[in-house]
Structure formats: structure tokens, C-alpha cells
Amino acid sequence: MDGIVNTKPTAGVIGLGAMGYQMARHLKEKGFTVAGYDVSAEATAKSQAIGIPTMADIGEVGSGAEVVVVMVQTDKQVVDVIGNGGLLASLAPGSVICIASSIAPDTCRQLEREAAEKGVGILDTPVVLGQEAADNGTLTVFVGGEAKWLEKARPVLSAFGSNILHIGPSGTGQIAKTTNNMLLWACICANFEALSLAKQLGADVPTLVSALMHSSGANWSLSRWGKSTGKWAEKDMDVALDLAQSVKLPLPLNGLVDQLMKSMNKERMQSLLS
């Protein structure tokens, strides 16, 4: 309506892949002014098709946004997007960068220090619950960083997240995501082994899964058996084991889970249901 001023912070999304596209879509549909950027022509075209403006470079996104969500794949990509000619060169003081990628806590802390010199906030905001939650706008967002930056970014994060959980200072959002993933992959391996035995003994696995969800063995992975992909398990386990090595903490169970998950995929998990 004429005369109504949009008080929502202007937003940007860097990385318009499967997750970033949905984040940008939810922002647009909830009335935010949002612009995106991706190196992929296909991802760019897909976003443009639903009315999300895409910029020619990262700097253009930064110059027009108060809160930017970064959803790329690796630590190096995050550093390239934010530092040395990236977002920090174009964002105004008081802006906030939300690192939704799953990366090392130390990378987040280093970027926070660099951003502070320019008056820009950095939050690590990795997400959990997978693609279905991203599609539905019901992600859980773990947040590391200063509370004042979270309050500015909260409306943006709430556009695609139903639970915004402040864990502590910079890097702790990533620690929460790593911890979550360690438990998730361990459950997937345990579920697969147990269900494989049940199937070999003649049980109907879908019926058994429904029954087990009322038992002490219930877990989130089991509740949606056959939907998980295990896509990022190897990367996530590498992060967990590297962090453990940095503090000289043995993780014998997760060392085994790391090896077991290398052969796990959606098709293998679904095979137990037929």
C-alpha cells in the first residue's frame, strides 16, 4: 500500500544453490528487499525466474544490503566472498554478514576481527534440519557472535528459520553444527546396522521404523529414514575430526563413523525399505 515504509532490513544472499535459493525465496515472499549473487548461470536464472534480482558481482549485493547471508561451500569460498575486495569492501558500517556455510570456527573468528575494523558485524549462522526444512522455511539456525549483531540480523534469519538459537561468541554456531552432525551421522550408521539386521531376520522395516519411533531407540534420522542423503557427511566429519585433533581429543567412535559414512548414500538407506 502507498505510504507504508518497509522497515525490514535490506538483504542479500551470496550463493543461490539448493539452500541459498530457498533462503532468498522466503525473504522475497515475506516482503524483504533482497538481491542475490551466484557464479552459476543456472542458479542465477532460477532465482531471476521467481523475481529475485541478481547482481553482477558480490560488491553490488553488499552496497545495497544491510544484512547479507553467505551460503557457499568451503572455508576458502567464504573468505573470498567476505575479505579482500569482497563484501567488506562494499558493506556500510553497521551492516551484518551471516555465514550460513558450515566452516571452521577459527575462520569465523578471523573474519569477525577483520570485519570489526570496518564496523561490520559477523555472525556464524549454520543451519540444520536439511533441505526439507529449507524448502518450508523451518530451519534451525545456530548463531555465534555478538548479541547486538544478532538483533539486527534476526528478522532476516527468521524469514527462513523457525528457531534462531544464540549459542555464544563467534565460532560457537559452527561448534553447535559440528556437534549436531556428529550425532546425526552416528545415528544414521546405527540405524542402518540395526535395520539391516531386522530385514535379514524377516521384519517389515517400514512397520518396524514406525514402532521404534515410540521406543527408547527413537531418533530424528530414524523418523525420516530414506530421506537423508548423507551428502555432506565426509566434509562435516573432516571438520569434526580436525577440531578434535586441534585439542588432542580422541574420538574413536566418530573415527569409525567417518569411515562408515563414506559408503552411505540415500539409495543404500532406501534399499532397506523395500
Side-chain angles (χ1 to χ4, degrees):
M1 294 175 58
D2 292 340
I4 294 179
V5 177
N6 189 347
T7 58
K8 297 174 179 176
T10 54
V13 179
I14 307 296
L16 298 169
M19 301 289 279
Y21 166 82
Q22 296 293 351
M23 292 172 172
R25 179 179 68 82
H26 288 300
L27 285 162
K28 178 182 181 298
E29 291 180 353
K30 292 177 180 176
F32 287 80
T33 298
V34 58
Y37 173 80
D38 199 287
V39 295
S40 164
E42 181 181 357
T44 298
K46 182 178 179 181
S47 298
Q48 290 173 342
I50 63 167
I52 298 170
T54 58
M55 303 293 105
D57 56 46
I58 290 167
E60 282 192 55
V61 176
S63 63
E66 298 168 88
V67 178
V68 179
V69 179
V70 176
M71 191 53 157
V72 295
Q73 293 185 10
T74 67
D75 286 59
K76 183 181 185 305
Q77 289 173 352
V78 170
V79 171
D80 289 345
V81 163
I82 295 175
N84 291 331
L87 288 171
L88 292 181
S90 59
L91 283 169
S95 303
V96 186
I97 300 169
C98 297
I99 303 173
S101 309
S102 296
I103 62 172
D106 281 348
T107 303
C108 297
R109 294 168 185 140
Q110 178 58 40
L111 289 169
E112 182 189 50
R113 290 190 288 269
E114 293 176 17
E117 296 176 2
K118 297 181 177 291
V120 172
I122 291 273
L123 298 171
D124 48 300
T125 59
V127 298
V128 295
L129 298 182
Q131 190 64 54
E132 184 176 346
D135 297 347
N136 295 335
T138 56
L139 290 163
T140 288
V141 185
F142 295 137
V143 182
E146 293 185 42
K148 67 175 182 179
W149 298 123
L150 173 55
E151 289 316 299
K152 181 160 188 176
R154 186 181 293 275
V156 169
L157 299 174
S158 296
F160 49 80
S162 56
N163 290 296
I164 315 301
L165 306 175
H166 190 196
I167 308 300
S170 180
T172 56
Q174 300 293 348
I175 293 169
K177 173 68 180 281
T178 296
T179 305
N180 173 83
N181 287 351
M182 290 168 68
L183 294 169
L184 171 61
W185 306 135
C187 284
I188 286 176
C189 292
N191 292 337
F192 185 85
E193 189 169 287
L195 295 178
S196 294
L197 175 62
K199 185 171 184 177
Q200 288 296 315
L201 294 174
D204 179 76
V205 171
T207 300
L208 177 60
V209 168
S210 296
L212 288 172
M213 290 313 300
H214 298 282
S215 77
S216 54
N219 59 79
W220 185 82
S221 170
L222 187 64
S223 73
R224 57 194 311 277
W225 191 257
K227 294 182 179 180
S228 297
T229 65
K231 183 177 180 181
W232 297 107
E234 188 166 354
K235 172 181 177 287
D236 292 340
M237 288 305 305
D238 285 347
V239 170
L241 295 173
D242 286 346
L243 289 172
Q245 181 62 31
S246 72
V247 294
K248 307 301 181 187
L249 178 69
L251 295 178
L253 174 59
N254 278 275
L256 177 58
V257 169
D258 179 45
Q259 295 302 308
L260 293 171
M261 284 302 300
K262 292 184 189 305
S263 63
M264 198 70 69
N265 54 47
K266 186 175 185 179
E267 291 71 28
R268 193 170 179 224
M269 289 183 271
Q270 287 179 332
S271 70
L272 297 179
L273 298 173
S274 58

mmCIF file of all heavy atoms in Angstrom, residues 139-170:
data_model
loop_
_atom_site.group_PDB
_atom_site.id
_atom_site.type_symbol
_atom_site.label_atom_id
_atom_site.label_comp_id
_atom_site.label_asym_id
_atom_site.label_seq_id
_atom_site.Cartn_x
_atom_site.Cartn_y
_atom_site.Cartn_z
ATOM 1 N N LEU A 139 14.006 -23.993 9.153
ATOM 2 C CA LEU A 139 15.346 -24.365 9.588
ATOM 3 C C LEU A 139 15.578 -23.965 11.040
ATOM 4 O O LEU A 139 14.958 -23.022 11.550
ATOM 5 C CB LEU A 139 16.390 -23.677 8.710
ATOM 6 C CG LEU A 139 16.494 -24.162 7.263
ATOM 7 C CD1 LEU A 139 17.241 -23.137 6.420
ATOM 8 C CD2 LEU A 139 17.179 -25.515 7.181
ATOM 9 N N THR A 140 16.465 -24.691 11.705
ATOM 10 C CA THR A 140 17.024 -24.219 12.969
ATOM 11 C C THR A 140 18.359 -23.572 12.656
ATOM 12 O O THR A 140 19.172 -24.124 11.914
ATOM 13 C CB THR A 140 17.217 -25.385 13.956
ATOM 14 O OG1 THR A 140 15.935 -25.811 14.429
ATOM 15 C CG2 THR A 140 18.050 -24.962 15.162
ATOM 16 N N VAL A 141 18.573 -22.374 13.205
ATOM 17 C CA VAL A 141 19.789 -21.608 12.945
ATOM 18 C C VAL A 141 20.586 -21.498 14.236
ATOM 19 O O VAL A 141 20.094 -20.951 15.237
ATOM 20 C CB VAL A 141 19.462 -20.194 12.412
ATOM 21 C CG1 VAL A 141 20.744 -19.454 12.038
ATOM 22 C CG2 VAL A 141 18.507 -20.257 11.220
ATOM 23 N N PHE A 142 21.796 -22.034 14.245
ATOM 24 C CA PHE A 142 22.713 -21.864 15.367
ATOM 25 C C PHE A 142 23.517 -20.590 15.131
ATOM 26 O O PHE A 142 24.077 -20.406 14.044
ATOM 27 C CB PHE A 142 23.679 -23.044 15.468
ATOM 28 C CG PHE A 142 23.035 -24.357 15.800
ATOM 29 C CD1 PHE A 142 23.404 -25.512 15.136
ATOM 30 C CD2 PHE A 142 22.074 -24.456 16.797
ATOM 31 C CE1 PHE A 142 22.830 -26.747 15.446
ATOM 32 C CE2 PHE A 142 21.494 -25.677 17.120
ATOM 33 C CZ PHE A 142 21.873 -26.825 16.441
ATOM 34 N N VAL A 143 23.600 -19.739 16.138
ATOM 35 C CA VAL A 143 24.245 -18.432 15.959
ATOM 36 C C VAL A 143 25.414 -18.266 16.912
ATOM 37 O O VAL A 143 25.283 -18.445 18.121
ATOM 38 C CB VAL A 143 23.238 -17.277 16.180
ATOM 39 C CG1 VAL A 143 23.924 -15.933 15.926
ATOM 40 C CG2 VAL A 143 22.027 -17.439 15.268
ATOM 41 N N GLY A 144 26.562 -17.885 16.344
ATOM 42 C CA GLY A 144 27.710 -17.475 17.133
ATOM 43 C C GLY A 144 28.040 -16.031 16.807
ATOM 44 O O GLY A 144 28.017 -15.632 15.638
ATOM 45 N N GLY A 145 28.343 -15.238 17.829
ATOM 46 C CA GLY A 145 28.671 -13.834 17.589
ATOM 47 C C GLY A 145 28.024 -12.932 18.615
ATOM 48 O O GLY A 145 27.341 -13.398 19.551
ATOM 49 N N GLU A 146 28.215 -11.629 18.451
ATOM 50 C CA GLU A 146 27.712 -10.658 19.423
ATOM 51 C C GLU A 146 26.194 -10.487 19.310
ATOM 52 O O GLU A 146 25.637 -10.447 18.212
ATOM 53 C CB GLU A 146 28.385 -9.306 19.216
ATOM 54 C CG GLU A 146 29.872 -9.302 19.528
ATOM 55 C CD GLU A 146 30.462 -7.902 19.434
ATOM 56 O OE1 GLU A 146 29.798 -6.949 19.911
ATOM 57 O OE2 GLU A 146 31.554 -7.761 18.872
ATOM 58 N N ALA A 147 25.554 -10.348 20.463
ATOM 59 C CA ALA A 147 24.096 -10.238 20.524
ATOM 60 C C ALA A 147 23.580 -9.034 19.745
ATOM 61 O O ALA A 147 22.506 -9.093 19.131
ATOM 62 C CB ALA A 147 23.641 -10.162 21.976
ATOM 63 N N LYS A 148 24.337 -7.918 19.732
ATOM 64 C CA LYS A 148 23.843 -6.720 19.040
ATOM 65 C C LYS A 148 23.712 -6.957 17.537
ATOM 66 O O LYS A 148 22.807 -6.423 16.885
ATOM 67 C CB LYS A 148 24.765 -5.526 19.303
ATOM 68 C CG LYS A 148 26.154 -5.634 18.690
ATOM 69 C CD LYS A 148 26.957 -4.356 18.910
ATOM 70 C CE LYS A 148 28.337 -4.430 18.254
ATOM 71 N NZ LYS A 148 29.108 -3.176 18.452
ATOM 72 N N TRP A 149 24.606 -7.770 16.980
ATOM 73 C CA TRP A 149 24.516 -8.065 15.554
ATOM 74 C C TRP A 149 23.370 -9.035 15.284
ATOM 75 O O TRP A 149 22.697 -8.940 14.252
ATOM 76 C CB TRP A 149 25.830 -8.632 15.030
ATOM 77 C CG TRP A 149 27.005 -7.714 15.150
ATOM 78 C CD1 TRP A 149 28.181 -7.965 15.788
ATOM 79 C CD2 TRP A 149 27.118 -6.391 14.610
ATOM 80 N NE1 TRP A 149 29.022 -6.888 15.694
ATOM 81 C CE2 TRP A 149 28.400 -5.906 14.971
ATOM 82 C CE3 TRP A 149 26.275 -5.568 13.877
ATOM 83 C CZ2 TRP A 149 28.842 -4.633 14.607
ATOM 84 C CZ3 TRP A 149 26.713 -4.296 13.517
ATOM 85 C CH2 TRP A 149 27.980 -3.839 13.881
ATOM 86 N N LEU A 150 23.141 -9.944 16.212
ATOM 87 C CA LEU A 150 22.039 -10.877 16.041
ATOM 88 C C LEU A 150 20.707 -10.148 16.026
ATOM 89 O O LEU A 150 19.821 -10.479 15.232
ATOM 90 C CB LEU A 150 22.046 -11.932 17.150
ATOM 91 C CG LEU A 150 20.837 -12.883 17.184
ATOM 92 C CD1 LEU A 150 20.643 -13.590 15.849
ATOM 93 C CD2 LEU A 150 20.989 -13.889 18.321
ATOM 94 N N GLU A 151 20.547 -9.146 16.882
ATOM 95 C CA GLU A 151 19.275 -8.436 16.911
ATOM 96 C C GLU A 151 18.989 -7.753 15.575
ATOM 97 O O GLU A 151 17.844 -7.684 15.132
ATOM 98 C CB GLU A 151 19.247 -7.437 18.065
ATOM 99 C CG GLU A 151 19.150 -8.117 19.419
ATOM 100 C CD GLU A 151 18.132 -9.257 19.445
ATOM 101 O OE1 GLU A 151 16.941 -9.000 19.210
ATOM 102 O OE2 GLU A 151 18.526 -10.419 19.689
ATOM 103 N N LYS A 152 20.028 -7.259 14.915
ATOM 104 C CA LYS A 152 19.814 -6.644 13.602
ATOM 105 C C LYS A 152 19.508 -7.695 12.541
ATOM 106 O O LYS A 152 18.679 -7.478 11.651
ATOM 107 C CB LYS A 152 21.039 -5.837 13.187
ATOM 108 C CG LYS A 152 20.861 -5.158 11.832
ATOM 109 C CD LYS A 152 21.816 -4.010 11.615
ATOM 110 C CE LYS A 152 21.450 -3.249 10.344
ATOM 111 N NZ LYS A 152 22.312 -2.064 10.150
ATOM 112 N N ALA A 153 20.176 -8.840 12.637
ATOM 113 C CA ALA A 153 20.018 -9.879 11.616
ATOM 114 C C ALA A 153 18.812 -10.784 11.865
ATOM 115 O O ALA A 153 18.370 -11.479 10.941
ATOM 116 C CB ALA A 153 21.284 -10.741 11.562
ATOM 117 N N ARG A 154 18.266 -10.768 13.065
ATOM 118 C CA ARG A 154 17.209 -11.720 13.423
ATOM 119 C C ARG A 154 16.019 -11.717 12.459
ATOM 120 O O ARG A 154 15.526 -12.791 12.077
ATOM 121 C CB ARG A 154 16.728 -11.469 14.854
ATOM 122 C CG ARG A 154 15.733 -12.531 15.338
ATOM 123 C CD ARG A 154 15.260 -12.223 16.762
ATOM 124 N NE ARG A 154 16.335 -12.363 17.731
ATOM 125 C CZ ARG A 154 16.688 -13.503 18.297
ATOM 126 N NH1 ARG A 154 16.053 -14.626 17.964
ATOM 127 N NH2 ARG A 154 17.663 -13.540 19.181
ATOM 128 N N PRO A 155 15.504 -10.546 12.023
ATOM 129 C CA PRO A 155 14.376 -10.589 11.094
ATOM 130 C C PRO A 155 14.700 -11.342 9.809
ATOM 131 O O PRO A 155 13.849 -12.075 9.278
ATOM 132 C CB PRO A 155 14.093 -9.106 10.813
ATOM 133 C CG PRO A 155 14.630 -8.386 12.002
ATOM 134 C CD PRO A 155 15.850 -9.156 12.400
ATOM 135 N N VAL A 156 15.923 -11.204 9.305
ATOM 136 C CA VAL A 156 16.334 -11.907 8.087
ATOM 137 C C VAL A 156 16.411 -13.411 8.353
ATOM 138 O O VAL A 156 15.883 -14.226 7.587
ATOM 139 C CB VAL A 156 17.680 -11.364 7.573
ATOM 140 C CG1 VAL A 156 18.252 -12.251 6.471
ATOM 141 C CG2 VAL A 156 17.509 -9.938 7.072
ATOM 142 N N LEU A 157 17.060 -13.789 9.435
ATOM 143 C CA LEU A 157 17.199 -15.209 9.761
ATOM 144 C C LEU A 157 15.837 -15.850 10.020
ATOM 145 O O LEU A 157 15.609 -17.013 9.670
ATOM 146 C CB LEU A 157 18.106 -15.382 10.982
ATOM 147 C CG LEU A 157 19.548 -14.878 10.830
ATOM 148 C CD1 LEU A 157 20.285 -14.972 12.163
ATOM 149 C CD2 LEU A 157 20.290 -15.648 9.750
ATOM 150 N N SER A 158 14.920 -15.088 10.609
ATOM 151 C CA SER A 158 13.596 -15.621 10.930
ATOM 152 C C SER A 158 12.738 -15.829 9.686
ATOM 153 O O SER A 158 11.720 -16.526 9.754
ATOM 154 C CB SER A 158 12.866 -14.680 11.896
ATOM 155 O OG SER A 158 13.544 -14.607 13.140
ATOM 156 N N ALA A 159 13.145 -15.246 8.564
ATOM 157 C CA ALA A 159 12.388 -15.436 7.324
ATOM 158 C C ALA A 159 12.465 -16.879 6.841
ATOM 159 O O ALA A 159 11.553 -17.374 6.178
ATOM 160 C CB ALA A 159 12.902 -14.487 6.241
ATOM 161 N N PHE A 160 13.569 -17.560 7.173
ATOM 162 C CA PHE A 160 13.712 -18.957 6.735
ATOM 163 C C PHE A 160 14.004 -19.909 7.885
ATOM 164 O O PHE A 160 14.154 -21.105 7.681
ATOM 165 C CB PHE A 160 14.822 -19.089 5.677
ATOM 166 C CG PHE A 160 16.126 -18.439 6.033
ATOM 167 C CD1 PHE A 160 17.019 -19.063 6.886
ATOM 168 C CD2 PHE A 160 16.474 -17.203 5.502
ATOM 169 C CE1 PHE A 160 18.233 -18.476 7.218
ATOM 170 C CE2 PHE A 160 17.695 -16.601 5.813
ATOM 171 C CZ PHE A 160 18.570 -17.238 6.676
ATOM 172 N N GLY A 161 14.059 -19.397 9.112
ATOM 173 C CA GLY A 161 14.338 -20.238 10.275
ATOM 174 C C GLY A 161 13.262 -20.094 11.332
ATOM 175 O O GLY A 161 12.860 -18.974 11.667
ATOM 176 N N SER A 162 12.788 -21.203 11.861
ATOM 177 C CA SER A 162 11.765 -21.150 12.907
ATOM 178 C C SER A 162 12.371 -21.134 14.305
ATOM 179 O O SER A 162 11.695 -20.766 15.267
ATOM 180 C CB SER A 162 10.795 -22.329 12.767
ATOM 181 O OG SER A 162 11.485 -23.561 12.794
ATOM 182 N N ASN A 163 13.636 -21.526 14.426
ATOM 183 C CA ASN A 163 14.353 -21.475 15.701
ATOM 184 C C ASN A 163 15.687 -20.794 15.475
ATOM 185 O O ASN A 163 16.539 -21.313 14.741
ATOM 186 C CB ASN A 163 14.585 -22.882 16.263
ATOM 187 C CG ASN A 163 13.312 -23.536 16.748
ATOM 188 O OD1 ASN A 163 12.687 -23.051 17.695
ATOM 189 N ND2 ASN A 163 12.900 -24.611 16.109
ATOM 190 N N ILE A 164 15.882 -19.628 16.085
ATOM 191 C CA ILE A 164 17.132 -18.884 15.994
ATOM 192 C C ILE A 164 17.780 -18.963 17.374
ATOM 193 O O ILE A 164 17.322 -18.330 18.327
ATOM 194 C CB ILE A 164 16.899 -17.407 15.600
ATOM 195 C CG1 ILE A 164 15.888 -17.297 14.448
ATOM 196 C CG2 ILE A 164 18.221 -16.729 15.272
ATOM 197 C CD1 ILE A 164 16.282 -18.011 13.185
ATOM 198 N N LEU A 165 18.840 -19.757 17.489
ATOM 199 C CA LEU A 165 19.399 -20.087 18.796
ATOM 200 C C LEU A 165 20.800 -19.495 18.943
ATOM 201 O O LEU A 165 21.733 -19.906 18.250
ATOM 202 C CB LEU A 165 19.450 -21.606 18.961
ATOM 203 C CG LEU A 165 18.109 -22.334 18.734
ATOM 204 C CD1 LEU A 165 18.300 -23.843 18.796
ATOM 205 C CD2 LEU A 165 17.066 -21.887 19.748
ATOM 206 N N HIS A 166 20.936 -18.541 19.866
ATOM 207 C CA HIS A 166 22.237 -17.903 20.103
ATOM 208 C C HIS A 166 23.059 -18.798 21.030
ATOM 209 O O HIS A 166 22.714 -18.984 22.202
ATOM 210 C CB HIS A 166 22.039 -16.524 20.720
ATOM 211 C CG HIS A 166 23.290 -15.717 20.761
ATOM 212 N ND1 HIS A 166 23.433 -14.601 21.549
ATOM 213 C CD2 HIS A 166 24.473 -15.839 20.086
ATOM 214 C CE1 HIS A 166 24.633 -14.075 21.377
ATOM 215 N NE2 HIS A 166 25.287 -14.821 20.499
ATOM 216 N N ILE A 167 24.146 -19.348 20.530
ATOM 217 C CA ILE A 167 24.952 -20.307 21.282
ATOM 218 C C ILE A 167 26.011 -19.611 22.126
ATOM 219 O O ILE A 167 26.312 -20.040 23.243
ATOM 220 C CB ILE A 167 25.626 -21.314 20.332
ATOM 221 C CG1 ILE A 167 24.589 -21.944 19.395
ATOM 222 C CG2 ILE A 167 26.361 -22.394 21.116
ATOM 223 C CD1 ILE A 167 23.479 -22.692 20.084
ATOM 224 N N GLY A 168 26.594 -18.515 21.593
ATOM 225 C CA GLY A 168 27.667 -17.829 22.309
ATOM 226 C C GLY A 168 28.484 -16.974 21.355
ATOM 227 O O GLY A 168 27.980 -16.522 20.322
ATOM 228 N N PRO A 169 29.756 -16.724 21.665
ATOM 229 C CA PRO A 169 30.590 -15.863 20.823
ATOM 230 C C PRO A 169 30.925 -16.495 19.479
ATOM 231 O O PRO A 169 30.555 -17.635 19.191
ATOM 232 C CB PRO A 169 31.847 -15.654 21.675
ATOM 233 C CG PRO A 169 31.878 -16.818 22.601
ATOM 234 C CD PRO A 169 30.455 -17.176 22.877
ATOM 235 N N SER A 170 31.624 -15.732 18.669
ATOM 236 C CA SER A 170 31.957 -16.166 17.309
ATOM 237 C C SER A 170 32.557 -17.566 17.297
ATOM 238 O O SER A 170 33.409 -17.907 18.110
ATOM 239 C CB SER A 170 32.958 -15.180 16.698
ATOM 240 O OG SER A 170 33.306 -15.570 15.386
#
